Every structure is written in C-alpha cells, then in structure tokens.
Amino acid sequence: MNYMTGSELRKKFLEFFASKDHLILPSYPLIPEDDPTLLLIGAGMAPFKPFFTGKMKPPRVRISTSQKCVRTGDIENVGRTARHHTFFEMLGNFSFGDYFKKEAIAWAWEFLTEHIYLPKDKLWVTIHPKDEEAFEIWKNDIGLPAERIIRLEDNFWEIGPGPCGPCSEIYIDLGEARGCGNEDCGVGCNCDRFLEIWNLVFTQYDRDEAGNYTPLAKKNIDTGAGLERIASVLQNKKSNFETDLLFPIIEHTAKVAGVTYGQSAKTDISLKVIADHGRSMAVMIGDGILPSNEGRGYVLRRILRRAVRHGRLMGIEKTFLVDIVDVVAAIFAEAYPDITDKKEYIKKVIRQEEERFQTTLAQGMELLNGHIADMVKKGNKTLDGTIAFQLYDTFGFPWELTLEILLEHDLELDKVGFDQAMGIQRERARAARQDNEDKIVLPDLSRLSGEKLSHDFSATNAKVVLLWEDGNLIEAAHDDEEIGVILSVTPFYAEGGGQIGDTGVLTGPMGKVQIATAKKLPDGTIYHWGQVIEGSLKTGDIVAVEVDETRRGSTARNHTATHLLQAALRSVLGEHVNQAGSMVTPERLRFDFTHFAPVTQEQLTEIEKIVNRQILKNSQVQKQEMPQEEAKRLGATALFGEKYGDIVRVVLVDDFSKELCGGVHVSNTGEIGVFKIVAEAGIGSGVRRIEAVTGFGALEYIKERENTLQQAAHALKTRPEELLNRIDSLQGGIKELEQELAAIKTKLAKGDVEELLSRVETIQGIKVAVGVVAANDMDALRSIADMVRDRLVSGVVGIGAVNHDKVNFVVMATKDVVAKGVHAGNIVKEAAKVAGGGGGGRPDMAQAGAKQADKIGESLETMKNVIRQQIK
C-alpha cells in the first residue's frame, strides 16, 4: 500500500477504467439537468438515470466518472464522525447493458490490489444472502475466503418501482486498534475498524408497482467508491478530514482561530465542520448556486451560516470564510480548474453572505440564549416555533441551526409551530413543486437508439418517428390530444440557454398539430410538444414543417440583444459580471447577472447607449463552430454553470461580443432596431436582473410611456412639458399640509400623554402608566411612550394603539425599575399573546403587534399583572 494524494488517486481510478474501454466524462454540475425530482446531484449515477431506466441511449455503454456530490440528510453528524460530509466525490464505473458482475467484481479487485496496492488479506466483502452468483465469483474467481464474504439482508438497492438489484460492498480492515474491542466486532459494526470503500450495484431486476421483480433483458452496473475514504486509507489517516483533500482547510482555519487541531474535541468538531462546509460552498457557488431561502440556494445558505457559527464558537469574530476559497481552489486545481477561474466571483458571493449574517448573528444568538435561559429556569423543554421563525425571519437563522443549538442544551424545537409561521414560504414551495409536476412526462425512448435524427434550420418536410401521450408511446394521435413528437429532421430551435423553444405547425396527410414548444433531451435529441388541432397524426407520416418565423425573428432580436447587453454590462460595471441566467422570448428579454450593488440610473443610461451604438453600427453577427479550447483562447464567454461539448458554437459581434451559444440570432445588429431597458432589480444575494425590449416591443413600450405621460398631464390639468413644474407646485402644497397635520398630531399626542399621567397607578412602589392612545404607526406609539417615560422619571409605560383592526404595543421602563426585576420584553410578549400576536425586546424597551384589536383591554390588564409578578 503506497501513499497517494487525492488527485493522484482520482487520476489513477479514471485511467484504470479508461484502459477497460470506458468513456471518461467530467463531473456533471451539482445542479441536476432536466430532473425535477433531485435538488442536487448526490450520487455518481444520478446524471445517468435515463440510461439506467433504458429511456435513453448512452453515448457509450461503458462510462466512468469522479462525480461531485452534495448530501445534507445527516448534516448534524458532519465533524462528529470520521466520514460524514456534505460535499464528497464519488468514483464510479457504469455499464449500460454491457458487462455485469464478473467484470465489475474482477476490475474492482484488480484496481484495489494491483493498482493502489491494498493488502488482499485485509479486504472483506458483503453480498445479498440470495446472490449466489456474486458469492461464486468472489470465492472461485477472486479467491476470497468464504469467511470474508458476509451475507447481509440490506445488500439490495432499490428506490420504489424501476430498475433495482443486489449489491456487493467492499470493506477494508483497518486493524484492532481502530475497533471497538467487542468480541462480535466485524463488518457492519458501527466502529471505525471495518471501512466500506466501494459499493458494486448489480441492477438486474425491474420492480413493478405491485412489488414484483422481473429480470431485466439488459443488466446494468452502477458502482460508487468514496474518494475521500480510499484516500484516508492510502494516506494512513484516522479520518477523511486528515487527508490532503480536507486537512489544508483545517490548518488554515486553525491558524485564523489561533487554535491547534487535536487538542480539544469541541474545537476539532468546529474545524472539521468549517473544512467540509468550506469545500461545499465553494463548489456549489462555482456550479452556479447562489444563497437563497428556497431549494438548493437554501442548502448553500444553511451550510455557509453553519460554518460562520462554528467559527464564532472558536472565537473568530471577523469574516473568515472568503480566504478558504483560495485553499479549496488549490486542492482542486487539477480536477476542477473552473473553481480557480471563478475564484473572485465565489469570494464575492461568500463575502456578501457572510457579512450579512455576521451583522445579525450576535443579536440572534443573544436572543436565543435568552430564551434558552428562560426555558431552563422554567423547566420547559421545547422552544416555541414562533420564536424559531422570528430567528429565521429577522436574524437569518435556518431552523436547523436553531435546533442544533437547542440540542446542545438537551432542548427541543416546536417544529409544527415553526411550519405554521412559515405559511407563506410553504405556499411558494408548493407552487414550485406544482411547476415541477407540470413538466412533460417522457416515455421510454429506447426505440430511438437505431434512428438517425438531424437538425436543419432549412428543413420543410420530415418523417414522424415517435409519438407519445401522458408518457406512453402511441401509434396515432387524434383531435385535441396533447402529444410529444420526434421527427427525423427538424428546423425547430429547442428551448435552451434561456431561449424559449420555437412554435409552429406540422401538417400531415390526415391532420395538423400546433407545436407549442420544442425541447431537447440530454443526448441532444429534439422533441416537440403540441396539440392536434385537426384530424389525426400517426407514426411514419410525412409532414410539412412550418416554424413561426415572425415569432422566431422577434426572439432572435432579443437573444442577440442579451449578448450585446452582457458585453455592455462588463464594460460599465466591470469584468466580474457573469451571466447567472436569462429568459429570451419574442416579447422581451430578461438577463440575470452577478453584481453586488444596484445599478445606478446613470450606469443604466450608459449601458443602454452602448448597446444601441452597436445596433446602429449594423455589424454582422457571425456564428462559428470550433473546439472549446479554441473558443476559450478567443475569449468567448460561457454561460455560468453550463456544460459544453468538445465542439462549441461561438456567436461573434465584431470584437465587442464573443459568447458560446446555440440559440437563434439576427444576421446583423441593425435588425434589432432599438434596445430599451424597462427594469432593473436585485433578485438574490449578489445577483441583479435587467429586463429589456427590442424592435417592435421597444416601440410599443415607448408608445405606452407616451400615453401614460399624456394621461398624467391631463389629470393634473397641464401639458406634458410642464408636468414637472406642476408636480413641484403640488408637492409644495402637500408639504404645507403635512406640517399642519404634524402639528395637530403633536397636540393630540400631548393630550394622550396628559391623560395617561393623570391615571398613573402605583404597583408595589413603582409608578405604572398603562392605557390606549391614538397613534397611526409604531414610530408614533414609541414617541408617545418616550414622552410619558420622561415625565414619569421613574416607572413603567405600557400603551397600545388600534389601526385597521390590528393593534400595536410598546412597553418602556426606566433603568431603576429594570434593576428591580421589570423586563419590558417579557411584559409586551405576554400582553401581545392575549391578542393573538407576539413580540419582545430589551428589558428597558420592547414592542409587539397583534391581530385581535378587541382584546386590547385584556392585553393592557395583562401588562399590569406581569409587572406585579416581576417586581422583586
């Protein structure tokens, strides 16, 4: 067994399977492609699901990868064990109907024993109890003693109906010193002695809905070996965290924190968490994921904020995660050079998110610690879910982080209450899930394997190769049916790169189909989705194909404009600008880009001017195909997070714009006509969005604005050119009225103050002013409370005000009564609860809101009762 770096091991694995005639593919991005069932890629086989199910033909029947993966199902264990990670790499070799158990087992054994030199006498395997075939191969072909072949019932891989089968896991015995010392310690024990390093899945059955298993005609192989795990063995490390794939991050963070790894179990956990999460966030952002409150963006935000907290636990008060990116980039320099290329962008995203969280973390922790102390004092074991939501909503605490902190104190979280408070977010998530459910269901497309399909923008006739409805292949489609169609040749542009698909009509011998869109399968095959509007269509029909050229022309104008826009953005805002998404339709364009501040009106005007200058040049728009490396040397910009083949299409506009793109474009920039920005806004952490129109869309937008200007001038009884003067005059009058109103409010407030002071009670020696006042908002309510408190000199003020069936409360206490036990935050919290609300704050000042205005009297009475209880 020889020492080997993580990079050497990865390379050795891929080279080995290349020698076994496997196609070596780069890791797929963490964002799943055309798979709404997955949030993130979490296994080596995940990108190949269509090949395993047989719905699609793979580029080769043998493939091998080292796949980037992210899983967060047991994130709380990260740092506490030797093997748990959020980000990890899975080495895998896959066969789609080609080789099976004999080869998969033999090659795994050969690689482990003859290429990375693991000792044969230390290797053990597990099999399914009924898999005699695997047993015979391991025993007779490999020569493994029967006592080192363990039968385990769990060795069967399946996820609901579909392809499934038994599996065989390979373990290495790391020695008694790494074990638990129990007599029954063996493979499957929870201790660290027997380490699983490779799982060979033999996909040989097809399970139906009823639970019946039918042997597959073409059996598959799906294997997964943990890069970090095998590296820990070769480097003789007790945990994955001590390998060269993670330990440089631990060393860096330890230096920043001023601690030493290995001296404190608690500190070591934090160092490991930060090392793991540091890798995860750098790779996730590099693959185009940005922090948000939903989906994979929430996963990233949760990971990043968890790392910040563990930094705080070690005494790191400043921002520190940004510098970890340099360490991660160095670790992955060979395998994922794009992290180095995007390093500055990744840093900006992390810096902004970390700074945002740092500003609220201390406040949130203080509030949570206060609640924990209160719970311990009262003997409560469960934190109210509304409090957890307040931490999430106000301080950015993911509920999982709140739960983790509670568990450290042997406390629990009222998750049901939290979920109820998150109603709006749940509705949004449900709508997103509905969008996924509305995606087109694809049928089994294995019949396409022998077909020669092509794409030709000039094609006018084609043969119907396949039809399907509701995920089932059909021979014929009839009036009003919604169907999928694959043609022998198509001129349709398929949705991709932010551009929507073409629409048009297919006319056959017996009917017509209105095509609503065209989409592309992962292997590049274009399919059409539409509705039979007349007669019928059947497979084998020769159809006339007509694309809506007017619609395509408008789309082309907007698409070319996005290229000009990106170049203009980089020119005005800086080279850090990258495309983060886009939507190109015939009506308008939407362009998302990385930038960390709002774009000023002056900058927008300059950007718009630059784009229109390029349009007026009437420059030729060239489309060239070339090797990807040549395109990079040319300086062509790629879509952030997009996966490209070896040969790419580059769209060029003079020296101004060079982008990798497969969409439709105008022949020269003059066809765009005019470019007009209609909106600019932030849509996420470090991401801005510009919406714009071109051509006739721009003319319509300008006309609408002219009409609005005319209507405004008419309403204000003036001419358009005098509108600003008229508005200035009106604003002057409004200001005078506001001043008069403010004076009236001040008089009313003083009246409320005098009324409250006239009814001051003394409770156990403390002056208490409680009552209802007139205040339109919380600011006015606080102002009245300030005046009453100042007049009291010493005492407690508790007031409420009703506005539009809602009620606001403010409680203030002078310092001397706070010293006697009065706590404004607890007073207002209990009072608001009576009226169906909540709130809190400091001992000397707090506020709250509630929905049941009719309960305001009971709430104020509650304030008095709480004050009586608090006074020492």
Side-chain angles (χ1 to χ4, degrees):
M1 186 167 68
N2 297 333
Y3 179 92
M4 195 176 290
T5 67
S7 292
E8 289 169 342
L9 174 59
R10 186 191 299 109
K11 184 178 179 182
K12 176 80 75 172
F13 180 90
L14 296 176
E15 287 177 345
F16 174 78
F17 280 100
S19 73
K20 304 298 183 185
D21 200 28
H22 285 64
L23 172 64
I24 307 303
L25 292 178
S27 173
Y28 283 73
L30 287 168
I31 300 175
E33 184 178 345
D34 296 325
D35 190 347
T37 67
L38 291 179
L39 194 65
L40 292 159
I41 294 295
M45 60 77 63
F48 305 127
K49 281 170 64 177
F51 306 148
F52 279 110
T53 59
K55 283 190 173 185
M56 288 183 54
K57 181 183 177 183
R60 289 262 286 277
V61 292
R62 299 180 181 184
I63 291 176
S64 183
T65 61
S66 179
Q67 176 62 47
K68 296 178 286 188
C69 301
V70 168
R71 296 180 189 172
T72 57
D74 45 14
I75 190 173
E76 66 279 354
N77 286 323
V78 173
R80 301 180 186 276
T81 71
R83 316 292 171 203
H84 279 95
H85 299 294
T86 54
F87 172 83
F88 60 95
E89 289 183 79
M90 189 173 284
L91 305 169
N93 58 288
F94 310 96
S95 168
F96 309 105
D98 185 38
Y99 63 83
F100 200 46
K101 294 181 188 179
K102 190 177 183 71
E103 294 85 353
I105 290 172
W107 291 339
W109 186 259
E110 179 186 347
F111 178 74
L112 292 175
T113 61
E114 298 179 24
H115 291 263
I116 61 173
Y117 308 110
L118 297 187
K120 295 180 181 180
D121 61 339
K122 296 295 184 183
L123 296 176
W124 294 62
V125 301
T126 61
I127 61 170
H128 189 266
K130 296 181 180 179
D131 194 354
E132 293 301 328
E133 182 182 4
F135 178 82
E136 292 299 326
I137 295 171
W138 280 116
K139 183 175 181 293
N140 299 327
D141 294 9
I142 302 302
L144 196 65
E147 60 269 20
R148 296 221 307 272
I149 306 173
I150 311 300
R151 297 175 186 263
L152 294 178
E153 195 66 41
D154 289 342
N155 277 40
F156 196 92
W157 184 90
E158 62 180 340
I159 305 178
C164 58
C167 61
S168 183
E169 299 164 330
I170 304 175
Y171 288 76
I172 185 167
D173 182 358
L174 299 176
E176 291 184 15
R178 301 282 287 277
C180 56
N182 295 330
E183 289 185 6
D184 60 349
C185 182
V187 171
C189 183
N190 289 328
C191 71
D192 286 337
R193 175 173 176 176
F194 293 90
L195 175 66
E196 179 196 342
I197 54 176
W198 206 336
N199 187 15
L200 315 177
V201 179
F202 312 126
T203 310
Q204 62 190 76
Y205 300 112
D206 183 18
R207 177 188 163 186
D208 63 21
E209 294 283 355
N212 301 310
Y213 295 88
T214 305
L216 288 169
K218 290 187 175 182
K219 299 174 173 62
N220 305 314
I221 289 293
D222 161 24
T223 85
L227 175 67
E228 291 85 358
R229 290 189 177 205
I230 300 178
S232 74
V233 175
L234 296 177
Q235 296 175 22
N236 194 28
K237 301 298 182 182
K238 289 184 178 181
S239 83
N240 297 355
F241 292 94
E242 294 172 13
T243 69
D244 68 329
L245 294 167
L246 281 152
F247 199 65
I249 310 174
I250 289 178
E251 290 181 307
H252 167 84
T253 309
K255 187 176 180 180
V256 172
V259 299
T260 302
Y261 178 76
Q263 291 190 347
S264 161
K266 187 177 180 180
T267 297
D268 286 354
I269 289 173
S270 291
L271 289 171
K272 291 174 183 177
V273 167
I274 292 167
D276 171 88
H277 292 7
R279 287 202 314 173
S280 292
M281 63 192 184
V283 178
M284 290 174 77
I285 296 169
D287 273 0
I289 299 168
L290 291 166
S292 72
N293 283 337
E294 293 179 332
R296 56 184 68 96
Y298 179 72
V299 174
L300 172 60
R301 174 163 284 169
R302 178 186 172 195
I303 285 171
L304 192 150
R305 293 186 169 186
R306 193 168 185 262
V308 171
R309 176 178 172 261
H310 276 276
R312 280 291 185 105
L313 290 176
M314 293 190 296
I316 304 176
E317 299 291 332
K318 62 179 182 179
T319 56
F320 69 99
L321 294 179
V322 170
D323 294 333
I324 288 176
V325 178
D326 292 318
V327 186
V328 176
I331 291 171
F332 289 135
E334 183 178 343
Y336 310 117
D338 58 307
I339 295 177
T340 299
D341 295 341
K342 300 167 184 171
K343 192 164 63 173
E344 293 308 312
Y345 167 74
I346 295 170
K347 284 183 174 183
K348 284 181 178 177
V349 174
I350 290 174
R351 180 180 291 110
Q352 186 176 55
E353 182 71 10
E354 185 178 6
E355 287 176 351
R356 180 180 296 173
F357 188 46
Q358 285 278 20
T359 59
T360 59
L361 179 60
Q363 295 173 281
M365 285 300 303
E366 182 181 353
L367 183 62
L368 179 56
N369 288 334
H371 285 297
I372 289 173
D374 191 47
M375 290 169 67
V376 172
K377 182 179 179 181
K378 294 179 179 178
N380 296 337
K381 299 294 291 183
T382 304
L383 180 71
D384 192 320
T386 58
I387 295 173
F389 178 75
Q390 182 190 3
L391 286 165
Y392 166 84
D393 194 44
T394 307
F395 301 102
F397 272 48
W399 71 264
E400 297 91 343
L401 179 57
T402 300
L403 176 61
E404 185 175 332
I405 296 168
L406 289 170
L407 291 174
E408 291 172 359
H409 293 81
D410 295 322
L411 300 173
E412 297 177 353
L413 169 66
D414 169 24
K415 183 62 167 53
V416 173
F418 177 87
D419 288 340
Q420 290 172 347
M422 281 280 285
I424 295 175
Q425 284 84 342
R426 271 206 324 276
E427 286 301 320
R428 192 183 303 134
R430 187 178 295 115
R433 285 197 298 273
Q434 184 62 47
D435 289 344
N436 285 335
E437 290 167 3
D438 290 341
K439 286 181 178 287
I440 297 167
V441 180
L442 295 175
D444 181 350
L445 299 177
S446 56
R447 279 170 49 182
L448 282 173
S449 59
E451 294 284 348
K452 291 185 178 179
L453 309 176
S454 61
H455 182 248
D456 182 354
F457 279 124
S458 64
T460 56
N461 293 283
K463 175 185 174 183
V464 176
V465 175
L466 280 182
L467 295 172
W468 72 86
E469 182 181 19
D470 296 329
N472 299 309
L473 292 175
I474 56 177
E475 290 300 317
H478 306 280
D479 238 353
D480 293 332
E481 292 179 349
E482 289 191 354
I483 58 170
V485 185
I486 291 181
L487 302 174
S488 57
V489 59
T490 180
F492 281 75
Y493 172 78
E495 179 182 307
Q499 180 181 322
I500 64 172
D502 277 336
T503 63
V505 176
L506 307 180
T507 305
M510 302 295 291
K512 286 185 177 181
V513 178
Q514 182 74 51
I515 299 299
T517 189
K519 293 176 177 283
K520 190 179 290 186
L521 299 171
D523 67 352
T525 300
I526 293 174
Y527 68 93
H528 315 75
W529 189 255
Q531 185 174 26
V532 181
I533 58 174
E534 182 181 313
S536 63
L537 187 72
K538 64 179 188 297
T539 55
D541 279 352
I542 302 300
V543 295
V545 185
E546 183 182 353
V547 174
D548 186 336
E549 293 293 347
T550 301
R551 184 176 180 276
R552 178 187 277 181
S554 296
T555 303
R557 282 192 285 273
N558 283 333
H559 201 156
T560 304
T562 64
H563 287 215
L564 301 181
L565 172 59
Q566 177 164 213
L569 284 166
R570 292 170 72 90
S571 172
V572 174
L573 303 180
E575 292 298 311
H576 66 276
V577 168
N578 279 301
Q579 182 174 346
S582 68
M583 174 63 75
V584 178
T585 72
E587 295 75 29
R588 63 173 51 203
L589 66 92
R590 189 183 74 204
F591 189 80
D592 301 338
F593 57 98
T594 56
H595 188 56
F596 300 87
V599 185
T600 66
Q601 187 55 53
E602 291 77 11
Q603 289 171 327
L604 289 172
T605 300
E606 181 62 21
I607 290 162
E608 196 173 78
K609 189 181 297 182
I610 290 171
V611 173
N612 281 302
R613 192 178 296 134
Q614 291 299 319
I615 291 171
L616 291 174
K617 283 185 176 180
N618 199 31
S619 302
Q620 183 181 1
V621 179
Q622 301 178 60
K623 301 96 177 177
Q624 299 177 8
E625 290 193 347
M626 63 184 71
Q628 188 176 153
E629 289 304 315
E630 183 180 337
K632 287 182 179 179
R633 287 194 296 272
L634 190 66
T637 303
L639 177 59
F640 202 65
E642 189 79 359
K643 180 164 57 68
Y644 296 96
D646 293 333
I647 302 298
V648 296
R649 181 171 179 258
V650 181
V651 178
L652 305 100
V653 180
D654 295 335
D655 286 330
F656 182 72
S657 171
K658 302 169 186 176
E659 287 195 39
L660 274 61
C661 182
V664 294
H665 291 271
V666 296
S667 298
N668 57 73
T669 59
E671 294 177 36
I672 299 172
V674 65
F675 171 85
K676 180 65 184 171
I677 294 173
V678 300
E680 190 278 337
I683 60 167
S685 181
V687 180
R688 309 294 299 178
R689 170 173 292 172
I690 281 180
E691 295 186 51
V693 288
T694 66
F696 289 110
L699 293 177
E700 288 175 10
Y701 174 80
I702 292 169
K703 185 62 180 174
E704 287 175 4
R705 284 301 176 98
E706 285 182 347
N707 289 339
T708 301
L709 186 63
Q710 290 285 357
Q711 291 168 11
H714 179 73
L716 295 179
K717 296 181 174 59
T718 187
R719 295 176 298 172
E721 57 269 26
E722 294 295 326
L723 193 57
L724 286 178
N725 291 334
R726 178 66 173 146
I727 290 172
D728 286 341
S729 174
L730 288 171
Q731 285 180 330
I734 290 170
K735 190 173 183 179
E736 291 178 6
L737 291 172
E738 286 176 341
Q739 289 172 344
E740 291 178 16
L741 182 61
I744 293 171
K745 284 183 177 180
T746 300
K747 287 182 181 179
L748 290 173
K750 287 180 178 178
D752 283 333
V753 170
E754 295 301 328
E755 174 66 20
L756 282 168
L757 291 171
S758 70
R759 293 191 288 107
V760 169
E761 299 180 43
T762 300
I763 299 176
Q764 294 178 225
I766 292 177
K767 289 186 285 184
V768 177
V770 173
V772 179
V773 299
N776 291 332
D777 53 35
M778 191 63 81
D779 287 341
L781 195 61
R782 282 196 300 267
S783 178
I784 293 172
D786 279 334
M787 287 188 281
V788 176
R789 181 195 57 197
D790 292 345
R791 293 278 297 276
L792 280 178
V793 181
S794 172
V796 185
V797 181
I799 56 177
V802 176
N803 281 299
H804 306 295
D805 298 325
K806 293 184 179 180
V807 58
N808 289 330
F809 297 103
V810 168
V811 176
M812 291 185 181
T814 56
K815 290 183 179 180
D816 60 317
V817 299
V818 169
K820 295 179 180 180
V822 172
H823 192 294
N826 294 337
I827 296 169
V828 84
K829 175 184 171 183
E830 295 301 321
K833 194 182 295 184
V834 172
R842 304 189 308 268
D844 62 331
M845 198 286 284
Q847 61 189 47
K851 299 177 181 178
Q852 297 170 277
D854 59 322
K855 298 284 185 70
I856 188 171
E858 295 178 42
S859 295
L860 295 176
E861 195 61 38
T862 298
M863 287 185 185
K864 296 178 184 178
N865 293 333
V866 175
I867 293 169
R868 287 189 184 95
Q869 295 168 10
Q870 288 182 344
I871 298 172
K872 297 176 181 177

